[in-house]
């Protein structure tokens, strides 16, 4: 019987083959040689994942998919604004924007693109980059970690399970650890440096949304508690209340969907802002940052996101999400209602739609 193997099957098959070949070179080293295991492994043959090189999307294609994603998901009212930061509950739930910024600085947008929302956890990526830029990638790996927790972004259980270490810069504990690793003599200097660095990625001076900051600062007992546990275990590197407060300010930075997309496009462009042409991050750190985003950018939904869309991305509880297509573009969705994991429903849908329309999954074609 003749069997047809489709592209999605090949994609999954290649992942299985990779696992099998890794096992062949590592796990089998422990097994005594038998008739079967003594045979030399055959050289791996390259697997063609794409039948033909895809044509890069035109400007018309990019504006079309942005318009389509906006129109298709505008009416989806599922999810609910986060309300554990009281201010966020008051942000209009119907706001919705979709933006693409390419690695050469072209902008395609639809919807509420001028509304400045709080960047929240999307900021964690850039402070992680700041630590790499200032202290090298080892600082992040050794002092924080790069493992996904598989748990919610504010999980105390995850902290307890990992010897009171954050293990990832994109959960709250790891983000406060990143803030504490930024070299500064006092809280004001730490905040100024972080705001300036995030602004460099956006290509324009970003500002604190004071109401968001005040609202979170008045209610962030859980983050303050976790900061103290980290500090008590030498996994936070400045005064814990300073780290938590500067982290809270960092999360309260206002960005428009376009500004967030420029920040993402800077990573897509190897660390150089495509609008200002300023280098924000050494190119060798960009793949490291994207790897952490791929593994943990959607928290406990990171596996599903990788399976469905195959792009490094980061979400924020203010409703913003940015995804990076290395060398090509960043895609941003913004809409305040989030799901149980704290990820914007409409933004996830819009980005996922664009990934599939333009065939952008990094692991191969899903068609
Ligand atoms: O610390 C917090 O809980 C918020 N400032 C950030 C959380 C967040 O954005 C989670 N993301 N989806």
């Amino acid at each position: 019987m003749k069997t047809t193997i489709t592209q999605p099957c090949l994609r999954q098959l290649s992942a299985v083959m990779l696992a099998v070949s890794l096992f062949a070179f590592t796990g089998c080293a422990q097994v005594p040689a038998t008739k079967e295991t003594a045979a030399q492994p055959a050289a791996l043959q390259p697997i063609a994942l794409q039948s033909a090189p895809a044509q890069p999307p035109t400007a018309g294609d990019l504006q079309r998919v942005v318009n389509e994603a906006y129109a298709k998901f505008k009416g989806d009212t599922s999810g609910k604004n986060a309300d554990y930061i009281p201010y966020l509950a008051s942000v209009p739930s119907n706001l919705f924007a979709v933006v693409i910024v390419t690695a050469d600085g072209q902008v395609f947008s639809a919807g509420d693109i001028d509304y400045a929302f709080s960047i929240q956890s999307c900021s964690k990526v850039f402070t992680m980059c700041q630590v790499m830029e200032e202290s090298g990638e080892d600082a992040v790996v050794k002092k924080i970690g790069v493992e996904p927790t598989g748990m919610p972004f504010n999980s105390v259980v995850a902290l307890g399970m990992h010897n009171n270490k954050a293990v990832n810069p994109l959960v709250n504990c790891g983000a406060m650890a990143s803030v504490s690793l930024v070299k500064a003599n006092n809280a004001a200097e730490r905040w100024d440096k972080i705001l300036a660095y995030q602004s460099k990625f956006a290509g324009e001076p970003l500002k604190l949304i004071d109401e968001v900051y005040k609202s979170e600062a008045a209610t962030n007992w859980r983050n303050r508690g976790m900061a103290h546990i980290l500090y008590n275990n030498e996994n936070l590197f400045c005064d814990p209340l300073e780290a938590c407060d500067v982290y809270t300010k960092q999360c309260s930075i206002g960005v428009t969907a376009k500004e967030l997309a420029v920040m993402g496009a800077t990573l897509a462009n190897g660390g150089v802002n495509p609008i200002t042409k300023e280098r924000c991050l050494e190119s060798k750190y960009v793949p490291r940052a994207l790897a952490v985003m791929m593994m943990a950018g959607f928290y406990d939904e990171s596996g599903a996101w990788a399976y469905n869309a195959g792009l490094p991305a980061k979400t924020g509880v203010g409703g913003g999400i940015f995804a990076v297509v290395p060398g090509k573009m960043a895609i941003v969705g913004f809409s305040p209602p989030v799901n149980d994991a704290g990820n914007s429903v409409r933004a996830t849908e819009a980005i996922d739609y664009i990934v599939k329309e333009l065939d952008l999954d990094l692991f191969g074609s899903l068609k």
Side-chain angles (χ1 to χ4, degrees):
M1 195 179 70
K2 199 174 158 202
T3 313
T4 309
I5 302 178
T6 61
Q7 287 293 337
C9 284
L10 265 181
R11 180 171 176 269
Q12 282 154 7
L13 188 61
S14 63
V16 174
M17 288 180 72
L18 179 64
V20 169
S21 58
L22 281 175
F23 180 73
F25 288 110
T26 55
C28 282
Q30 314 299 325
V31 181
T34 63
K35 245 184 176 171
E36 283 82 18
T37 59
Q40 290 299 309
L44 288 176
Q45 296 302 312
I47 304 163
L49 288 174
Q50 308 270 358
S51 42
Q55 290 300 311
T58 62
D61 293 332
L62 294 169
Q63 189 58 55
R64 175 184 59 81
V65 292
V66 164
N67 292 344
E68 285 173 1
Y70 179 76
K72 200 168 164 60
F73 301 110
K74 189 175 164 40
D76 185 349
T77 55
S78 44
K80 185 173 163 289
N81 285 34
D83 57 7
Y84 74 99
I85 300 170
Y87 181 89
L88 294 183
S90 71
V91 176
S93 302
N94 59 349
L95 289 168
F96 183 33
V98 183
V99 180
I100 288 177
V101 174
T102 61
D104 62 1
Q106 299 173 71
V107 181
F108 305 92
S109 62
D112 300 302
I113 51 167
D114 296 323
Y115 185 89
F117 54 95
S118 56
I119 188 170
Q120 297 294 345
S121 292
C122 298
S123 66
K124 293 168 176 171
V125 170
F126 305 100
T127 305
M128 169 183 72
C129 293
Q130 190 165 14
V131 173
M132 288 181 187
E133 189 77 358
E134 246 187 12
S135 305
E137 74 260 32
D138 279 358
V140 168
V141 175
K142 293 193 177 137
K143 298 201 162 185
I144 304 174
V146 291
E147 294 305 329
T149 67
M151 295 207 167
F153 59 85
N154 58 359
S155 174
V156 180
V157 173
L159 188 56
M161 280 171 63
H162 297 102
N163 295 322
N164 300 313
K165 193 173 177 188
V167 304
N168 193 285
L170 302 186
V171 292
N172 291 6
C173 284
M176 290 191 286
S178 293
V179 166
S180 77
L181 285 168
V182 170
K183 291 180 183 159
N185 294 311
N186 54 51
E189 192 185 333
R190 193 177 303 283
W191 163 237
D192 288 347
K193 280 184 74 174
I194 288 174
L195 181 63
Y197 193 66
Q198 307 252 339
S199 298
K200 201 163 144 177
F201 272 88
E204 44 199 297
L206 297 176
K207 288 200 294 266
L208 182 76
I209 306 178
D210 205 43
E211 297 99 307
V212 177
Y213 166 62
K214 287 198 177 111
S215 178
E216 183 164 351
T219 51
N220 63 356
W221 305 106
R222 190 182 180 106
N223 284 344
R224 284 189 234 176
M226 293 193 297
H228 281 97
I229 294 172
L230 287 166
Y231 186 74
N232 187 55
N233 292 277
E234 298 178 8
N235 291 318
L236 194 90
F237 311 96
C238 74
D239 174 83
L241 288 180
E242 177 180 329
C244 183
D245 189 54
V246 174
Y247 160 77
T248 306
K249 279 190 171 149
Q250 170 194 299
C251 290
S252 308
I253 291 172
V255 282
T256 63
K258 186 206 149 193
E259 284 165 340
L260 185 58
V262 174
M263 294 172 90
T266 300
L267 291 173
N269 191 35
V272 175
N273 184 308
I275 310 284
T276 64
K277 314 289 179 212
E278 199 179 353
R279 178 163 288 286
C280 302
L281 181 67
E282 266 191 77
S283 60
K284 66 177 181 179
Y285 297 137
V286 172
R288 309 276 197 207
L290 297 180
V292 179
M293 288 169 65
M294 178 61 96
M295 298 305 290
F298 264 73
Y299 306 113
D300 41 331
E301 291 185 332
S302 298
W305 173 254
Y307 190 86
N308 288 326
L311 285 185
K314 185 73 205 85
T315 69
V317 81
I321 303 181
F322 75 99
V324 176
V325 191
K328 294 185 179 156
M329 69 187 86
I331 313 168
V332 161
F334 159 63
S335 176
V338 296
N339 65 11
D340 289 345
N343 300 326
S344 168
V345 176
R346 276 190 284 226
T348 303
E349 290 171 334
I351 299 172
D352 183 70
Y353 175 80
I354 291 173
V355 168
K356 295 198 167 77
E357 280 298 302
L358 299 180
D359 218 2
L360 297 172
D361 187 308
L362 285 186
F363 299 115
S365 178
L366 298 171
K367 287 183 178 162

